[in-house]
Every structure is written in structure tokens, then in C-alpha cells.
Amino acid sequence: MQVPQLLVLFGSQTGTAQDEAERLGREARRRRLGCRVQALDSYSVVRLGRYGGDPPPDFAPSDGGRLSEGGGGMRCREGTDQGCQRPYIYLCLVLEANLIREPLVIFVCATTGQGDPPDNMKNFWRFIFRKSLPSSSLCQMDFAVLGLGDSSYAKFNFVAKKLHRRLLQLGGSALLPPCLGDDQHELGPDAAIDPWVGDLWEKIMVMYPVPLDIPEIPHGVPLPSKFIFQFLQEVPSIGAEELNIASSAPQTPPSELQPFLAPVITNQRVTGPQHFQDVRLIEFDITDSNISFAAGDVVFILPSNSEAHTQQFCQVLCLDPNQFFTLKPREPGVPDPPGLPQPCTVWNLVSQYLDIASVPRRSFFELLACLSQHALEREKLLELSSARGQEELWEYCSRPRRTILEVLCDFPHTAGAIPPDYLLDLIPRIRPRAFSIASSLLAHPRRLQILVAVVKYQTRLKEPRHGLCSSWLASLNPGQAGPVRVPLWVRPGSLVFPKTPDTPIIMVGAGTGVAPFRAAIQERVAHGQTGNFLFFGCRQRDQDFYWQTEWQKLEQKGWLTLVTAFSREQSSWSLRLRILTSVLVVTWDLMTPALCLLVHPVLLWVLSSWTHCASYQQMERMISGPLWVPELQTVNRNWRPETHPLPGPWSQLWKSRKKTPMLEWEICQLQEELLRADGPQRPMRTASVTALHPGPWPWGPLEHRYQLRFLAGPVGGRSCLPFLPCPPSLGTWLWALRERGPCARRLSLLSLLVLELLGLVVIFMPLLLLGVLFMLLDRSTH
């Protein structure tokens, strides 16, 4: 009887989905299932096949038969007379020969951003949603989808839901409904994953039974490692430069597998010495790197662990940092770890590959418990890896951000007995960090600049927490002996700026988020493009106003319109009003005169609602004057969205605003309506409300307390004191009495306080008497 085969495909951005996929792979191997775990883009969905003979000579696969941008893994050479029709015929036949032959597939995919797929499944995502795929393509496949997401986002687990529906459309048979793991759950994604995985294995073992003569591997027994470490007795004849995973002069554009070693030119702090955060402007030399980028692109940097942490890790695990080794796969067909040179030293493995500064996941404790030989430590590790111990695991690791190195130090007997073969199974690889490029090649040729905020914060642990990449970059000193190099590569970003020179751009960036806009402004200024409007916000002008001199020079030359906001130097109300009025001014300048007459009342209405103002007319009085051009005086002042419908997109804007539940402006409007409903039922005598004079204690606090209860005018006027055992007119008369002089004011406030205390006594006296009665009855029974 043949062993059933299982394929686990994952799409992961931060490593969580990959960790869950490898966890499923380990469980499958324990159940004696043949299992492969691969990233979605690394799986060869299509491959070169034959149809009626050998393929034509002008037909060749690209990327080794994997998915590519242009043709799903195949393309036609230029200059052929067949065109691109025959290759696509071969493509359909290859799909039938490869993808559909997988009997059992589990998809583990995360959702990034606003419903976007991870980077390592984007090619598969484009391929699976092709309209040319027949509806019976996957009719022989049984599948299950496990999704990871965050319910605080609008498109929660959008990728998993959409992939599940698409696989059903292509004829696939779903074993279970999709599992939607939620990172916001108090127990994390495992709260939904654990029961779903249990049901999944029960169904798989019924549909795909293994031979009876092959027993399952118990959970306490560790699985064989993926690789075998073969330590070299002799030092290989290889230079230190050849051990690096990157190249300093690549022939092709750098990538993740072959990054460019860029020398660091400058590394300067751009925040003031009194500022709480250390922000660095770092410049790299990319001469002869084949790197080209535009505004909005991002640079990926591969960090390294610090020397102190690397040395401590080698001491805890009793490893020789200068020992050379090579890796041998334990099973055939397993690829070598990407980016790891061979032969390699233990120091290079720990410092540049193993992420010992990351927070360990649940799978880390599961494998560590299997490798532990110490009874007490093994019992604690099993508790932390169990389902009932997830709350304790959160308190021990996730909440204080305890690292893998610190966990190994807490379990010294287990750490000292870890075989080197399990290092790659136990500790994940260091992931690259993405930074927005803050410069343009037109302004700084052969240079690349980034703005980095050094991550440092304190938890309940004694040692502060440090960001791996930001702290490593901040520690680099270009002035030391020898060049300081950083492995990096560039990818297109999500920000796309218009290419037409007459298109104005409004850019809003706070703090280090202004970095990509600096690159865009430099690029547009180099092309002579005006209409650059930048809204920049930070805490203080003299502490974290990045590129202040550069912005002011561009503003003086007419290339830039700059609007700043400093949160620690202005009140929240004045800051909000200043920013919104600046937005209106900029928007007004960019519109045609005919459109301005239509938009002005709409903007006034939105401004009055979203800034907590009492009325439309009040906001109009506040911002009228030299801020607005004279043509605005001819606008219809009686415009309202309820009575005058808006044309085109403005109508949709108002509808979406009306549909938004319980915004702040709705809450304020509701409070105002409730106060009006609590007002007098008959006309009241109008009396001027005197200004509130704080005065000495306790008269100032008392007057402030009761002024909130007695509102003059049409909004109030009737007593709304709780526990007041008197007619409402008495409270109103006492409140009005305070305007007759200082003595009358004190007498009025004291009378109101006495009445309120009397009301409390009246309310609670029956309860007190009832309690005394129960005590007497209880004594009488005894």
C-alpha cells in the first residue's frame, strides 16, 4: 500500500504562515504521510511538457518552469513566426500534468496590508485567477485553506476567503470550511487553528489511510532533522570575502538571493539631543551595483546579530564559533537553505542567518521540549507548548518580548544538549527589513539614503528591547578602519506618483513617514515640476523637524508649499483647525473657479462636523475673513445636504459619511439633541449667563459642577440634578440666585449641595433601614 502524499503550500510575509505550514508538515510526518512544505511561488505549478512530439525550438521555459510575470512560467522568443499561441496551448497541458495531479493540498496564507497577498505568493495569485483556466482544472484535488489575519482590519483574512472560493470555482473539493485565524484573539490565532487542525487530521486519516504496519511517531519523540551538520576537521582554503552571501559587484540587479554589499558613507543622527527617539539618516554608495529606483520604491536590508549576542549564543549551546561545517540534506530533494554559503563557520551562521533576537513561537517550545533531557525543564516546556498553556506563554514571551536567546538562557540544561543538526529546524532565518528610499538618483547620483527610527522600548524585563535592524544600522561607524558594508536590494513600492509634469501632488507625512515624499519632491524638482504640497507633522520644531533647511529653501524658491504642525507646541484644537483650514486653502487653489463655488459649502459642512463645532454658521464665522477669496461671499449660505442633493462624487461622499456608524460628530450631535430634549417645556425668562469665575476652593469646583447641570437658553434651564427631592423650579431658582452677589452665590451653591446630599440620604435611607430590619430578624431566629 502506497503512502499518501500531502502538499502544504504557504504564503507568508512575516513568517507566521510559514511557521504554521511547517507545523502541519511535522504533524503529517508523525502520521507517516509523505509531505512537502513549499512557498507558493517556489512550487512549480507549470512545467514544460510535450504535445504531439517535441516542443518547437522557439519555445523555452523561464525561471525553471516556475511562475513568472509575463507568461505563467513560459514564454516565446522574439522573432518567431508562431507568435504566442502555441506556448499557451502547452501551458494548459502542463497545468493538467502538474497542478491537478496533486491529490491533497493544504494552503496556508496570510493577509497583508489592505487585503493584499504576501510577496511569496503574488505570482501564484495572478496565475490562479486567470479567466482562461477551465472550471474543471482541479476536479481531482482535495484541499483545505488556513488563513491568518487581523480582525482590526476591514479586509480580515481576505486572501484566504477569496482563495477558497476560487479553488471551488476550479472544481476543487474542500475538506473543511476555511480556518480564519485572528491575531486579535486573546489566545492568538491558535484559538481557531487548534480545533480546526484536529478536525482536519481526522478527515484526512479517514480519506487517506496509511498502511497499518507503519505506526505513528509519538509526540514526545523528536522527528529527524532536515539537515546533517558535517563539521570539517581542516580549515578550507577559502577567503573570508567568499563566505559572504552578497556580492560587491553583481552582474545582475541585486535580489534577496544575491544582495549587494553597499558601503555606508554617512550615519548621522537627525533628531535633537533632548529628543526621546534616535532617528538616523544613513547614506549608501551604490556605485557599480546595477541598482535603479524611483520615488516610492523600497530598499530591503538584511541585518545581523550583535557580536555580544552571537558570542553568548555560542557559549550557551557549547558551540565553537570558528568551526567550519557543510550541510547534507537528510532526505533527497530537499534544497539547501537559501542565502547560506557552504562551507560556513558557526559564527557566520549565528550572526547572519539565525534570528536569535526574535520572539519564539509555539513551535519553538514544542521542538525544544522534544529535545530536552532535563525533567523539570521538559515539564515546563511541554506546558508552554500545550493548548492550555497559551496564556502563560503570552505572559512569558509575547507580552515582555522575550527573545530566543533569553529563553535558551532560562533553560540552560536543555540548551546545552541541543544537537547542532536541529539549529535550522529550531530557529528561524533572519528576515530582511524594508525601508522607504528617502532620496532620488537625480539629486544624489550613485547614492541611496534612508531615514531610520531606532526601535528601543522598555518592558517588565530589566534589559530594554531593541529592534534588530535599526539598532544594528545605528551601530555602524563609517569612520572605522575598512569599509562598512550592508547587504541590500531594491524592489518597487506601493506608492506611485504621476508622470505628467502639470499634475499637482498633495503629500501628507508625519515623522519618518515623510521619507518617500522627499524622494518624490527631489525627483519632481529635478524635472522642473511645480505644484508640490507637503503637510508635515512632528512633535517639536527644534527636535524632530527632518530636513527643515532643505524644505525651507525649496519653499523660498517656489518649488514647494509646506504646511507644518507641531503637536507639542500647539493645543489640539488649534492644531486641528490650522491643518484643516490649510487643506481647504490648498484644495481651493487647485480647483477651477466654477468648481470652487460648488465645493466651498461642502467643505464648510465637513469642517464644521468633523471638528466638533456647534454649527455650520459658527465654523463659517471662525474661518471667514482674509483666508477666503471674495468670490466666496456669493455662495448660497442656506445649503444643506438634506435639502439640496449633491451632484456626482460629492453625493457619494455624503452618503458614505452618513453610513459611517457612531463617528465623533454623530456622538456630539446626539448629545446636543439629548440636552435639548431635557430643556424646559414652557418659555423661560432669558437671563445672561455670567462668565465662570473660578474663585477659591471650594466655590470654583462647585460652580463648575452645577453649571454643567443648569444650561441657560433654549438648550436647558430645568434642573437635572440627580437625587434632588424638590420641584425642578426650586433648583432653577437657586441657580439663578447666585447672580445677585458674592454672598448670594455662596448661599446658592451651598443650598444646591445640601439638596443633593439630602436626596442621597432620602434614596439610601430605606435601604439602610431594610438592612437593619434583616439583621434584627436574623438575631430573632437565633
Side-chain angles (χ1 to χ4, degrees):
M1 185 176 180
Q2 190 176 4
V3 177
Q5 298 295 319
L6 170 65
L7 176 64
V8 181
L9 300 176
F10 65 87
S12 179
Q13 190 71 21
T14 61
T16 307
Q18 181 178 356
D19 182 74
E20 293 294 340
E22 292 176 352
R23 178 185 173 190
L24 290 173
R26 288 190 295 269
E27 291 295 326
R29 285 190 286 270
R30 288 190 181 278
R31 290 169 171 79
R32 298 295 187 174
L33 296 174
C35 183
R36 292 171 294 158
V37 180
Q38 290 182 253
L40 279 163
D41 281 354
S42 66
Y43 172 69
S44 299
V45 179
V46 293
R47 58 187 175 91
L48 183 60
R50 294 186 177 184
Y51 178 69
D54 295 331
D58 60 345
F59 177 64
S62 64
D63 301 328
R66 296 183 176 87
L67 292 173
S68 62
E69 294 282 341
M74 297 185 180
R75 65 184 179 189
C76 188
R77 292 182 180 177
E78 296 182 0
T80 58
D81 53 356
Q82 282 97 353
C84 289
Q85 297 180 357
R86 291 185 62 185
Y88 280 101
I89 295 175
Y90 279 91
L91 177 63
C92 296
L93 295 176
V94 164
L95 175 63
E96 293 181 356
N98 200 18
L99 181 62
I100 202 174
R101 293 183 183 274
E102 301 290 348
L104 181 60
V105 183
I106 300 178
F107 296 90
V108 184
C109 50
T111 300
T112 64
Q114 301 297 327
D116 300 325
D119 292 337
N120 60 356
M121 69 171 292
K122 287 185 177 180
N123 294 335
F124 173 84
W125 190 257
R126 285 190 290 265
F127 175 83
I128 202 67
F129 282 95
R130 285 184 175 179
K131 297 181 180 180
S132 59
L133 296 180
S135 59
S136 60
S137 299
L138 305 178
C139 60
Q140 299 180 5
M141 176 188 293
D142 294 327
F143 72 92
V145 177
L146 192 158
L148 296 171
D150 193 325
S151 59
S152 62
Y153 288 84
K155 294 186 177 182
F156 170 61
N157 267 315
F158 178 78
V159 174
K161 297 175 184 177
K162 193 173 182 180
L163 178 62
H164 181 82
R165 290 194 297 265
R166 180 56 176 167
L167 295 175
L168 291 176
Q169 292 175 358
L170 296 178
S173 177
L175 298 175
L176 290 175
C179 175
L180 306 179
D182 185 11
D183 193 57
Q184 291 294 323
H185 195 276
E186 58 182 3
L187 297 180
D190 291 337
I193 294 175
D194 285 347
W196 184 86
V197 169
D199 298 339
L200 177 65
W201 288 126
E202 291 181 1
K203 194 158 190 176
I204 288 178
M205 299 311 294
V206 172
M207 299 177 61
Y208 299 90
V210 297
L212 298 178
D213 56 342
I214 304 178
E216 293 186 3
I217 302 177
H219 282 277
V221 178
L223 294 171
S225 61
K226 294 182 181 179
F227 300 95
I228 300 175
F229 277 64
Q230 296 179 342
F231 290 97
L232 304 179
Q233 301 298 330
E234 298 180 358
V235 178
S237 58
I238 183 171
E241 292 81 4
E242 300 180 25
L243 290 177
N244 291 324
I245 61 174
S247 173
S248 58
Q251 301 298 326
T252 59
S255 61
E256 184 175 2
L257 296 179
Q258 190 69 26
F260 172 70
L261 287 175
V264 180
I265 303 301
T266 59
N267 185 358
Q268 58 179 348
R269 174 169 176 159
V270 294
T271 50
Q274 304 300 328
H275 195 58
F276 74 99
Q277 190 172 35
D278 183 9
V279 180
R280 299 298 182 107
L281 178 62
I282 305 176
E283 185 176 17
F284 303 99
D285 184 6
I286 57 173
T287 305
D288 300 331
S289 63
N290 291 328
I291 292 180
S292 62
F293 56 87
D297 292 348
V298 296
V299 57
F300 285 83
I301 295 178
L302 192 61
S304 299
N305 294 309
S306 64
E307 294 184 2
H309 288 172
T310 304
Q311 186 68 32
Q312 185 180 5
F313 181 86
C314 294
Q315 291 178 358
V316 172
L317 271 69
C318 303
L319 297 174
D320 182 9
N322 299 321
Q323 182 72 41
F324 282 84
F325 68 90
T326 58
L327 294 177
K328 179 183 177 181
R330 192 176 292 272
E331 298 179 0
V334 178
D336 293 335
L340 185 64
Q342 295 191 45
C344 179
T345 61
V346 174
W347 181 273
N348 189 28
L349 171 69
V350 178
S351 63
Q352 300 184 12
Y353 197 85
L354 299 181
D355 194 0
I356 60 177
S358 62
V359 179
R361 306 179 191 271
R362 180 181 175 182
S363 59
F364 173 84
F365 292 93
E366 292 177 353
L367 181 55
L368 198 60
C370 295
L371 300 176
S372 178
Q373 303 296 330
H374 194 270
L376 293 179
E377 293 183 357
R378 178 185 176 87
E379 182 181 359
K380 188 62 178 180
L381 291 171
L382 288 175
E383 181 181 356
L384 294 174
S385 61
S386 63
R388 65 178 182 275
Q390 292 309 295
E391 184 175 357
E392 186 177 356
L393 178 61
W394 167 264
E395 292 292 333
Y396 174 68
C397 273
S398 301
R399 185 176 181 180
R401 310 303 295 174
R402 196 185 304 269
T403 63
I404 290 178
L405 178 59
E406 291 172 335
V407 171
L408 293 176
C409 294
D410 290 343
F411 297 88
H413 299 88
T414 302
I418 295 176
D421 295 346
Y422 286 93
L423 287 179
L424 296 177
D425 299 286
L426 188 65
I427 304 175
R429 180 190 177 187
I430 296 178
R431 290 187 169 270
R433 272 63 168 176
F435 296 92
S436 297
I437 299 178
S439 62
S440 174
L441 288 175
L442 300 178
H444 303 277
R446 299 184 299 276
R447 294 291 186 269
L448 188 149
Q449 296 180 357
I450 58 174
L451 192 64
V452 181
V454 181
V455 178
K456 181 180 179 181
Y457 57 95
Q458 187 72 47
T459 61
R460 67 184 184 187
L461 300 179
K462 180 179 180 181
E463 184 179 354
R465 307 292 94 184
H466 297 271
L468 175 62
C469 187
S470 60
S471 300
W472 175 67
L473 289 174
S475 65
L476 299 179
N477 183 15
Q480 69 182 21
V484 179
R485 299 181 181 272
V486 173
L488 55 83
W489 64 95
V490 174
R491 285 184 183 176
S494 58
L495 285 177
V496 179
F497 295 92
K499 302 299 182 182
T500 54
D502 56 343
T503 302
I505 300 180
I506 300 178
M507 296 163 282
V508 182
T512 56
V514 78
F517 300 136
R518 178 178 182 250
I521 292 173
Q522 288 182 353
E523 194 169 297
R524 288 174 60 86
V525 170
H527 286 107
Q529 299 176 0
T530 58
N532 305 310
F533 300 89
L534 176 62
F535 290 80
F536 175 73
C538 61
R539 291 174 178 261
Q540 295 174 338
R541 183 189 301 269
D542 58 343
Q543 296 294 329
D544 55 343
F545 192 176
Y546 310 128
W547 300 299
Q548 178 181 4
T549 305
E550 181 177 343
W551 300 137
Q552 292 175 351
K553 289 182 179 179
L554 292 176
E555 190 176 20
Q556 293 174 0
K557 296 179 180 179
W559 295 106
L560 177 67
T561 300
L562 179 64
V563 179
T564 58
F566 307 102
S567 60
R568 296 300 185 268
E569 299 179 2
Q570 297 168 298
S571 62
S572 59
W573 166 252
S574 61
L575 179 64
R576 184 186 307 169
L577 181 61
R578 183 173 180 272
I579 294 176
L580 288 177
T581 52
S582 302
V583 170
L584 297 181
V585 173
V586 171
T587 309
W588 177 268
D589 293 337
L590 298 179
M591 292 180 179
T592 59
L595 186 60
C596 290
L597 297 179
L598 170 66
V599 173
H600 172 254
V602 182
L603 294 178
L604 276 182
W605 183 267
V606 173
L607 186 62
S608 63
S609 300
W610 288 343
T611 54
H612 306 261
C613 287
S615 64
Y616 173 89
Q617 289 79 10
Q618 182 179 357
M619 171 54 69
E620 189 177 12
R621 290 193 301 268
M622 291 177 63
I623 62 177
S624 61
L627 179 64
W628 306 101
V629 294
E631 288 80 357
L632 290 179
Q633 304 302 326
T634 61
V635 178
N636 182 12
R637 307 297 184 183
N638 298 322
W639 178 88
R640 290 295 182 275
E642 296 87 352
T643 57
H644 298 77
L646 297 171
W650 296 105
S651 177
Q652 300 298 328
L653 172 64
W654 175 254
K655 290 180 180 179
S656 63
R657 174 177 176 265
K658 292 290 288 183
K659 291 180 181 178
T660 306
M662 296 309 293
L663 290 175
E664 293 180 351
W665 61 273
E666 287 182 323
I667 298 175
C668 294
Q669 185 178 5
L670 180 61
Q671 291 176 349
E672 187 175 352
E673 291 176 357
L674 291 175
L675 289 175
R676 288 196 178 97
D678 199 26
Q681 305 299 324
R682 60 181 183 274
M684 299 292 295
R685 181 182 61 183
T686 60
S688 60
V689 182
T690 59
L692 186 62
H693 302 286
W697 189 88
W699 311 116
L702 280 177
E703 189 172 13
H704 177 70
R705 170 183 174 85
Y706 293 121
Q707 189 183 29
L708 300 178
R709 312 284 182 99
F710 296 93
L711 302 178
V715 181
R718 182 168 59 90
S719 170
C720 51
L721 278 174
F723 318 126
L724 191 63
C726 64
S729 58
L730 177 60
T732 306
W733 179 78
L734 289 174
W735 177 251
L737 184 65
R738 68 183 183 87
E739 300 178 1
R740 299 186 180 181
C743 295
R745 174 172 173 263
R746 297 180 181 181
L747 180 62
S748 172
L749 295 176
L750 285 176
S751 301
L752 290 172
L753 180 61
V754 170
L755 285 176
E756 190 170 5
L757 294 177
L758 181 60
L760 291 173
V761 172
V762 171
I763 292 295
F764 289 104
M765 184 59 70
L767 298 177
L768 182 62
L769 295 177
L770 187 62
V772 173
L773 178 62
F774 277 112
M775 292 176 60
L776 296 176
L777 291 176
D778 184 66
R779 290 185 178 181
S780 63
T781 56
H782 287 292

